[in-house]
């Protein structure tokens, strides 16, 4: 399942964020806001159970999530995305995965992983703003599965058709959410029209 979250507020934020004149502090702020706007859609079908709820006036019923949520930002660019999701889901635990794409081979090179225990009991949301070739997303999902996760979804800002196809082929059971589906990749594996290198723009490390 691939879903584009085509929302006017998200589209407005993304339009400004794509522009090279958008500096790092503003880039991070807007990315965080988009993540917060996306979070309700990404989580809307999480399973809940009915629980008793006592108001000051009477007893009624409410709902609780059945499973705890673990957010998984792919370093580095997943971090600002994480902040927006944490604003909406502060109780979530966080697993970090460090992946750096080799700019020659375009393959992800893992350098860090740390996750909470019992991932099989959690709803896991992998976060990475950019889904380009899909190599990093496939690797991140694979690592979460190897660690025991069963209920995984993936959220990104901008997706290329090539990345969506790679992720859907590798893990058809993983729902994928994006703020925008762009046109294609260029010869260097960058998304067109895209926004450039998200990590560099976020942290002011553009060459
Ligand atoms: C970027 C991005 C994704 C990856 C997407 O990270 O944040 O993780 O590239 O490309 P792919 O779909 O072709 O794998 P990068 O490896 O540049 O690291 P960074 O976040 O530290 O800049
Ligand atoms: N990673 C990025 O940050 N941007 C792209 O366009 C592709 C991969």
């Amino acid at each position: 399942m691939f879903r584009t979250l085509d929302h006017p507020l998200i589209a407005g934020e993304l339009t400004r964020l794509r522009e090279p004149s958008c500096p790092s502090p503003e880039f991070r702020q807007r990315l965080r806001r988009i993540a917060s706007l996306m979070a309700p859609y990404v989580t809307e079908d999480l399973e809940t159970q009915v629980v008793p709820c006592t108001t000051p006036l009477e007893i009624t019923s409410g709902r609780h999530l059945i499973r705890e949520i673990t957010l998984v930002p792919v370093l580095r660019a997943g971090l600002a995305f994480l902040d927006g999701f944490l604003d909406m889901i502060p109780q979530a635990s966080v697993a970090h995965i460090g992946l750096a794409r080799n700019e020659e081979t375009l393959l992800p090179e893992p350098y860090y992983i740390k996750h909470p225990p019992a991932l099989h009991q959690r709803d896991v949301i992998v976060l990475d703003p950019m889904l380009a070739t899909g190599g990093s997303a496939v690797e991140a999902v694979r690592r979460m599965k190897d660690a025991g996760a069963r209920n995984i979804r993936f959220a990104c800002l901008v997706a290329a058709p090539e990345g969506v196809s790679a992720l859907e082929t590798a893990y058809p059971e993983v729902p994928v959410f994006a703020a925008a589906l762009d046109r294609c990749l260029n010869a260097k594996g960058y998304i067109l029209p895209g926004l450039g290198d998200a990590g560099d723009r976020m942290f002011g490390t553009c060459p």
Side-chain angles (χ1 to χ4, degrees), residues 77 101 103 128 130-133 158 185 188-200:
R101 194 172 75 151
E103 294 305 333
D128 192 334
M130 309 308 279
L131 178 60
T133 65
V158 178
L185 298 178
K188 293 186 168 178
Y190 278 85
I191 300 174
L192 298 176
L195 49 80
D197 188 304
D200 282 345

Side-chain angles (χ1 to χ4, degrees), residues 83-122:
D83 290 337
F85 273 80
L86 276 178
D87 289 341
M88 296 296 114
I89 319 167
Q91 75 277 20
S93 58
V94 180
H96 292 87
I97 297 188
L99 298 175
R101 194 172 75 151
N102 181 311
E103 294 305 333
E104 302 296 319
T105 63
L106 298 186
L107 295 174
E109 296 180 351
Y111 60 86
Y112 186 78
I113 183 160
K114 180 83 178 176
H115 58 78
L119 282 180
H120 63 283
Q121 294 171 349
R122 297 166 185 270

